[in-house]
Amino acid sequence: MTTVLVLAVLVPLSTAPAQTFFAWLNATPALRRRPLWFVGYLLAGMFFYTEFRNAVARVAHVRELTGAHDWIVTPRSGRALAAPAARRAA
């Protein structure tokens, strides 16, 4: 069980460094001269985006386990719905 938990932590945390590395490899020379951008992306990806993504997954798991399968859709106004139809007619 411990191996699974370690992998469950390491795999999501390793995606940000891998994405940063490949972004640096594919970057133009002008962008490669700005290493702080890549460091900022790495830190933001590891500590904020990864945790946000994991929180969304946890909420989805809890909703599935509790049986909350309904979708809450906010109603649109008639004016907002008429605008795309008017654009298609023109």
Side-chain angles (χ1 to χ4, degrees), residues 21-67:
F21 175 70
F22 286 111
W24 182 80
L25 280 179
N26 293 319
T28 62
L31 287 177
R32 282 191 187 179
R33 284 185 282 243
R34 300 179 182 270
L36 287 179
W37 286 8
F38 294 99
V39 171
Y41 178 77
L42 173 68
L43 294 175
M46 281 183 70
F47 297 111
F48 298 107
Y49 174 72
T50 301
E51 181 52 37
F52 175 72
R53 184 183 63 201
N54 289 342
V56 169
R58 281 191 296 271
V59 168
H61 288 136
V62 169
R63 287 179 58 90
E64 180 68 27
L65 289 173
T66 59

Side-chain angles (χ1 to χ4, degrees), residues 1-15 50 53-54:
M1 186 70 164
T2 305
T3 306
V4 172
L5 293 177
V6 169
L7 286 175
V9 171
L10 290 180
V11 170
L13 284 178
S14 67
T15 57
T50 301
R53 184 183 63 201
N54 289 342

Side-chain angles (χ1 to χ4, degrees), residues 67-84:
H69 300 293
D70 53 331
W71 285 67
I72 300 172
V73 180
T74 57
R76 305 281 186 222
S77 68
R79 187 174 46 153
L81 290 175

